[in-house]
Amino acid sequence: MLHQDAWQKHRAIQRIALLIVIALPVVAFAAAEAGPQLPEILTAREGEKWELVFSDEFNGATADLDANWNFQNAKQGHILCSRWRENVIAEKGLCRILNKKEQRGGQEWTAGSMSTKKEFKYGFFEARYRYGNATGLNNSFWMMTRGKTGVPGKFEIDIDEGHFPNEVNTNLHDWGPKHTGKGKAKTFDGQNMANDFHVFSLLWTEKELAWFVDGREIRREDNKLCHDQAPVILSSAIMKWAGDVTDKIDGTAMEADWVRVYQIQNATSAK
């Protein structure tokens, strides 16, 4: 009798184990279908209900990028490279912005810049990426109102202008009739941001702006400037103030895993 009871318990355990094995893929699939989890920074904000309003996980082909993004195709007077659609590709679940030593547009280098077709006013903006593996590169995640400079209300928010190997630059620019800018640089000792992916984030509300790296706040400012729609921009640039410009740049890439935008539910602040 004891032997039979033990055998029945053993069979019951086997059935439970089998059910768990069967259920795990279903749970994993359901989690994937549900999309990204809300960042802890947002879940900690009491009384606010946030929702994902834009995401690109870069799981498609290069041509698929055109659905969500516009691309620069021009030379750039203030940097050492021209920037072209051909320098932005989707590959193995990553968006790669390629830096090349090639003559085009009257400049010695080429890179890429992409901006969302959709514009946003306020929200929480995140991108997971790693820097190009060389000095002289400006690996950028930023926002800027469209149109010419010199117009009242035109602004730029640099969520990160990243310089190899471990420097994060956050900037606020007023591109109105009189340009002013306010920047802060932070170095992450012991990090190589070309080897490892990091998450760079911006909380932008009517009253304030806050910057984060891997969920850790690195800067906060009162919002006295940024009150209009702007696209999200990813770009790479070759420039002297990002470090020595050498042939090591050729063949490097800024590699983005994803870009996500969250806004408070029922807010009419995106188009």
Side-chain angles (χ1 to χ4, degrees):
M1 189 70 175
L2 289 174
H3 176 74
Q4 186 177 2
D5 288 345
W7 181 82
Q8 288 176 340
K9 288 180 181 178
H10 175 70
R11 289 292 293 166
I13 291 171
Q14 283 184 323
R15 287 193 208 95
I16 294 169
L18 180 60
L19 287 172
I20 291 171
V21 170
I22 293 171
L24 280 175
V26 176
V27 172
F29 177 77
E33 287 292 296
Q37 290 187 340
L38 201 65
E40 290 184 8
I41 294 166
L42 300 184
T43 59
R45 294 178 65 86
E46 295 183 1
E48 297 177 348
K49 293 184 178 181
W50 292 78
E51 62 182 340
L52 183 70
V53 297
F54 173 88
S55 72
D56 199 331
E57 308 295 314
F58 302 124
N59 291 324
T62 296
D64 296 329
L65 295 172
D66 295 309
N68 289 326
W69 302 87
N70 294 316
F71 299 87
Q72 201 167 39
N73 285 288
K75 63 180 180 179
Q76 296 284 287
H78 67 293
I79 55 179
L80 302 179
C81 60
S82 55
R83 297 199 279 210
W84 307 94
R85 171 66 180 89
E86 293 85 350
N87 287 61
V88 184
I89 64 172
E91 186 176 62
K92 298 179 180 179
L94 298 174
C95 177
R96 306 185 70 233
I97 304 178
L98 308 176
N99 307 297
K100 301 179 182 181
K101 188 172 185 179
E102 58 180 353
Q103 291 283 344
R104 191 173 181 185
Q107 292 175 292
E108 186 178 2
W109 298 91
T110 64
S113 179
M114 55 198 287
S115 59
T116 55
K117 293 181 177 181
K118 191 173 184 179
E119 296 179 320
F120 308 91
K121 180 182 177 182
Y122 311 138
F124 187 73
F125 304 83
E126 285 197 312
R128 183 176 186 265
Y129 58 91
R130 60 185 176 189
Y131 296 175
N133 192 28
T135 60
L137 291 173
N138 201 50
N139 306 268
S140 300
F141 172 37
W142 53 301
M143 304 182 73
M144 185 176 184
T145 46
R146 290 191 169 109
K148 296 181 179 180
T149 58
V151 177
K154 185 173 179 62
F155 63 84
E156 174 183 342
I157 308 170
D158 295 326
I159 304 169
D160 172 37
E161 286 192 331
H163 299 166
F164 175 84
N166 55 8
E167 185 176 286
V168 174
N169 295 275
T170 60
N171 306 301
L172 268 178
H173 290 278
D174 181 346
W175 288 107
K178 182 180 179 181
H179 171 251
T180 58
K182 184 178 182 181
K184 290 187 177 181
K186 183 172 180 61
T187 300
F188 287 79
D189 295 335
Q191 296 277 0
N192 184 334
M193 290 179 167
N195 287 342
D196 303 317
F197 286 88
H198 295 270
V199 178
F200 302 86
S201 312
L202 171 75
L203 178 64
W204 171 24
T205 72
E206 185 177 3
K207 295 182 178 180
E208 63 182 355
L209 300 112
W211 290 255
F212 304 82
V213 176
D214 295 329
R216 175 187 170 192
E217 184 175 323
I218 61 170
R219 181 181 178 184
R220 186 174 292 261
E221 298 282 349
D222 292 337
N223 184 9
K224 300 177 181 179
L225 172 65
C226 307
H227 302 291
D228 202 353
Q229 303 272 350
V232 174
I233 306 171
L234 294 177
S235 65
S236 183
I238 292 96
M239 53 178 60
K240 291 181 179 179
W241 60 88
D244 293 336
V245 176
T246 71
D247 286 351
K248 291 181 180 179
I249 291 171
D250 189 27
T252 61
M254 176 182 172
E255 296 183 327
D257 186 17
W258 46 257
V259 176
R260 298 168 185 164
V261 179
Y262 300 84
Q263 290 182 321
I264 295 175
Q265 289 181 12
N266 301 320
T268 57
S269 52
K271 64 178 182 180

